[in-house]
Amino acid sequence: MNLARLANGIAHAPDNLDKTEISGLTLDSRAVGEGFLFVAVSGSKVDGARFIEDAKAKGAVAVLTSSDAVVETDLPVIRADNPRLSAAKMAARFYEKQPETMVAVTGTAGKTSIASFLRQIWTATGLKAASIGTTGVVSPSRNDYGTLTTPDPVALAELLASLEGEGVTHASMEASSHGIDQFRLDGVRLAAGGFTNLGHDHLDYHPDLESYFTAKMGLFTRLLPKGAPAVINTDDQWSGRAIEVATGVGCDVRTVGRNGSLLALKRLEHERERQVAEVKTPDGIQRVVLPLAGEFQMSNALVAAGLAIVTGTPVKAALETLENLKGASGRLEKAGMTAGGVPVFVDYAHKPEALEHVLRAVRPFTTGRVILVMGCGGDRDKTKRPMMGEIANRLADVVIVTDDNPRSEDPAVIRSEIMAAAGEAREIGDRREAIRAAVGEARTGDTVIVAGKGHETGQMVGSINHPFSDHEEVRRAITETKA
Ligand SMILES: CC(=O)N[C@H]1[C@@H](OP(=O)(O)OP(=O)(O)OC[C@H]2O[C@@H](n3ccc(=O)[nH]c3=O)[C@H](O)[C@@H]2O)O[C@H](CO)[C@@H](O)[C@@H]1O[C@H](C)C(=O)N[C@@H](C)C(=O)N[C@H](CCC(=O)O)C(=O)O
Ligand SMILES: Nc1ncnc2c1ncn2[C@@H]1O[C@H](COP(=O)(O)OP(=O)(O)OP(=O)(O)O)[C@@H](O)[C@H]1O
Ligand SMILES: N[C@H](CCC[C@H](N)C(=O)O)C(=O)O
Ligand SMILES: [Mg+2]
């Protein structure tokens, strides 16, 4: 694409760019190819401007950087006040196509589940749908493992174009606070947005909870077009504030939950691994069956149904399809059952509120003890550690503290910070051994939860990701215990 056209109205380009053709763009010099525009931004670790010469050596033909950056290069330099935002807009212009109906969901917990549920509702009603998020990308023709919750803007734009090329018309995606803050979604043409809840997470990145909330609200204040529907869960401490913000910027706010204006949860009965609800809808009361345990899953299902409804799915169909929903991988997922009939769940709770919800969710059908295996990630918000230790100690009967992606930190130090608040908890650093111990001591009536890694397929120690799956380890432990 012609560079002058690519930059037009998005960034200030020198006058002589009419003849420069761009074959791609990237924020990472390591990904530059022949004929690329290199976007040099200052990051949390380094200043991308340091890599302009590397980018040039790899074939970059122009640079986009901030208005005030001092750069020395003979490549043409395009300037913008906010080069991350400009990069997202340029990527959208470069790749052009996107699924016709794009929906993004934000909040501390439930995004992956909702993105998956929404894709399943759309698919069940005959649409070609995809979901994009922490667990990867799922579409009628792919099931790719993911790394980031919200991909970088260029990868995202490329992905959306390729989904459109596959014939996908509806796509749901997760908007992480990092993603919103770093302008990764600013090129996405959104039809609707959703909000789940706000809890303690990522306070290593955001200065405090208030700024974390403000970042999340960027979905409504910046990313949704004026008048677009915003589906908000009513049952969180932050729901009122989120409704206020979304209403204030002119979103068409529809709420779901106990006091929902679109979908109101009137009665909820928990059975062992499913729940039955009565939901008040604009078309009257409808019975809803959800084949998943945990009240939080009902909340997620209602947000997903709400998002389907505001993007055109009939109310009755949206709620009926919930009966066949599959949980997202590693979200309170039964990974196996011991010989004594003890269910062993793998769950992605790696933050306080999630852990609390999951421990509460299994209590109604646990006649014996709740046995929990948990840890906390290295190089991530350290203040979560004692909070999660305290919750584990208060809500589980047996707690085994183990490793969960120590990354560059000393795993023993991470464990000790959890242990300091975890009462009688036991410490078994080796996650495989910890899972084996939990499964080994489970008796009929107990429930085992292995928390923190969910769908992940590796244990990150230093910078090496060692293959590791909680699902596999649970199955192995069950087999070994039976033998
Ligand atoms: C803290 C964080 O979010 N960092 C993201 C951010 O990096 P940054 O801009 O701060 O990077 P930096 O290392 O300081 O480098 C600055 C710039 O120089 C560039 N560079 C760097 C080295 C080089 O050799 N050449 C080069 O061009 C980098 O590509 C970057 O553009 O922008 C990059 C490009 O989009 C992201 O890849 C990177 O994600 C890192 C890998 C990451 O781990 N992010 C996590 C924390 C994250 O985003 N998580 C959220 C939430 C998860 C959830 O709870 O669901 C997510 O959406 O996944
Ligand atoms: N609505 C909810 N309220 C509280 N906890 C939840 C809710 N939904 C899911 N959880 C808990 O949070 C974990 C992560 O759920 P999910 O992956 O759907 O959320 P997420 O917002 O995508 O999280 P992440 O930001 O880590 O990717 C689940 O395994 C469960 O423990
Ligand atoms: N997207 C989350 C994943 C955390 C998963 C947990 N297993 C950990 O390593 O802390 C993050 O990067 O904070
Ligand atoms: Mg997620």
Side-chain angles (χ1 to χ4, degrees):
M1 180 183 280
N2 180 273
L3 186 52
R5 187 164 100 71
L6 183 67
N8 188 24
I10 298 179
H12 309 290
D15 292 334
N16 55 351
L17 289 182
D18 289 4
K19 293 199 173 52
T20 311
E21 288 297 314
I22 289 296
S23 62
L25 68 161
T26 176
L27 291 106
D28 189 343
S29 62
R30 291 159 292 196
V32 166
E34 201 56 52
F36 267 48
L37 169 69
F38 173 56
V39 184
V41 296
S42 171
S44 51
K45 290 202 213 92
V46 287
D47 186 351
R50 277 178 37 191
F51 306 103
I52 291 177
E53 286 314 299
D54 294 354
K56 186 181 165 197
K58 295 192 81 177
V61 292
V63 176
L64 165 65
T65 193
S66 67
S67 306
D68 54 4
V70 181
V71 292
E72 276 180 35
T73 177
D74 52 8
L75 291 178
V77 179
I78 303 175
R79 303 251 179 201
D81 291 341
N82 183 342
R84 284 183 195 268
L85 173 62
S86 299
K89 290 187 169 168
M90 284 185 188
R93 186 174 285 174
F94 184 84
Y95 288 100
E96 201 183 325
K97 305 264 193 223
Q98 299 184 2
E100 200 178 301
T101 304
M102 290 294 315
V103 169
V105 59
T106 197
T108 303
K111 301 181 295 297
T112 297
S113 304
I114 292 167
S116 162
F117 295 171
L118 182 53
R119 170 184 44 77
Q120 293 180 55
I121 296 171
W122 280 331
T123 305
T125 54
L127 299 167
K128 273 196 131 183
S131 57
I132 302 165
T134 318
T135 49
V137 183
V138 181
S139 79
S141 54
R142 64 172 105 193
N143 190 350
D144 300 339
Y145 190 77
T147 44
L148 289 176
T149 288
T150 305
D152 89 71
V154 179
L156 181 58
E158 187 176 9
L159 172 65
L160 295 186
S162 106
L163 289 172
E164 198 272 348
E166 285 173 24
V168 168
T169 57
H170 288 66
S172 54
M173 64 175 295
E174 296 181 51
S176 67
S177 60
H178 292 77
I180 301 174
D181 193 55
Q182 293 166 18
F183 302 92
R184 296 182 200 162
L185 299 102
D186 287 68
V188 184
R189 294 185 282 276
L190 292 172
F195 173 77
T196 60
N197 49 53
L198 195 89
H200 185 119
D201 203 10
H202 303 310
L203 294 188
D204 51 336
Y205 181 88
H206 303 283
D208 50 39
L209 209 55
E210 195 62 34
S211 348
Y212 176 44
F213 175 70
T214 305
K216 294 256 180 219
M217 287 300 101
L219 177 59
F220 302 136
T221 58
R222 196 179 81 235
L223 295 170
L224 277 192
K226 212 174 173 60
V231 174
I232 299 179
N233 161 39
T234 57
D235 303 333
D236 188 65
Q237 281 183 28
W238 291 79
S239 302
R241 297 262 323 263
I243 293 168
E244 210 173 285
V245 170
T247 309
V249 294
C251 293
D252 174 12
V253 174
R254 317 281 189 93
T255 57
V256 297
R258 297 265 171 204
N259 298 307
S261 60
L262 177 63
L263 298 174
L265 182 61
K266 287 298 170 202
R267 219 161 59 86
L268 180 63
E269 277 169 27
H270 297 275
E271 295 172 8
R272 196 173 168 84
E273 276 156 39
R274 61 172 224 162
Q275 356 187 3
V276 181
E278 270 178 14
V279 176
K280 187 163 168 273
T281 80
D283 302 340
I285 297 275
Q286 191 168 334
R287 182 170 177 270
V288 168
V289 178
L290 186 68
L292 301 169
E295 195 161 330
F296 68 85
Q297 291 288 35
M298 182 57 84
S299 167
N300 293 338
L302 291 183
V303 175
L307 287 166
I309 293 165
V310 300
T311 52
T313 308
V315 175
K316 189 161 177 283
L319 291 178
E320 270 172 8
T321 56
L322 300 183
E323 186 157 1
N324 298 311
L325 281 194
K326 291 201 170 48
S329 167
R331 274 64 183 166
L332 203 54
E333 183 183 3
K334 193 158 83 181
M337 179 99 96
T338 68
V342 173
V344 184
F345 291 97
V346 166
D347 185 74
Y348 196 48
H350 57 82
K351 43 204 164 195
E353 287 81 1
L355 190 60
E356 177 142 10
H357 277 90
V358 156
L359 288 168
R360 289 191 190 284
V362 299
R363 196 51 86 175
F365 56 80
T366 305
T367 52
R369 302 163 304 164
V370 174
I371 303 174
L372 172 71
V373 175
M374 58 88 63
C376 286
D379 302 336
R380 292 288 183 273
D381 188 345
K382 292 188 167 84
T383 59
K384 289 198 284 192
R385 297 172 190 171
M387 295 171 82
M388 289 176 65
E390 185 278 324
I391 290 166
N393 181 44
R394 178 159 45 87
L395 296 174
D397 302 295
V398 177
V399 180
I400 302 176
V401 174
T402 188
D403 291 343
D404 179 351
N405 296 333
R407 303 190 176 88
S408 74
E409 288 193 59
D410 177 351
V413 172
I414 301 177
R415 289 196 302 273
S416 71
E417 288 172 13
I418 304 169
M419 291 294 291
E424 299 297 299
R426 221 177 320 149
E427 192 179 331
I428 306 179
D430 182 325
R431 196 169 177 96
R432 177 172 295 159
E433 288 307 320
I435 292 172
R436 203 175 281 167
V439 169
E441 73 181 69
R443 301 287 166 264
T444 305
D446 293 347
T447 296
V448 177
I449 301 177
V450 181
K453 296 184 77 65
H455 64 287
E456 289 177 0
T457 54
Q459 176 80 308
M460 185 73 87
V461 183
S463 54
I464 298 174
N465 202 18
H466 301 270
F468 191 95
S469 147
D470 279 354
H471 288 90
E472 238 170 68
E473 294 306 330
V474 164
R475 284 194 287 269
R476 187 183 295 186
I478 290 174
T479 313
E480 284 173 12
T481 310
K482 275 183 192 155

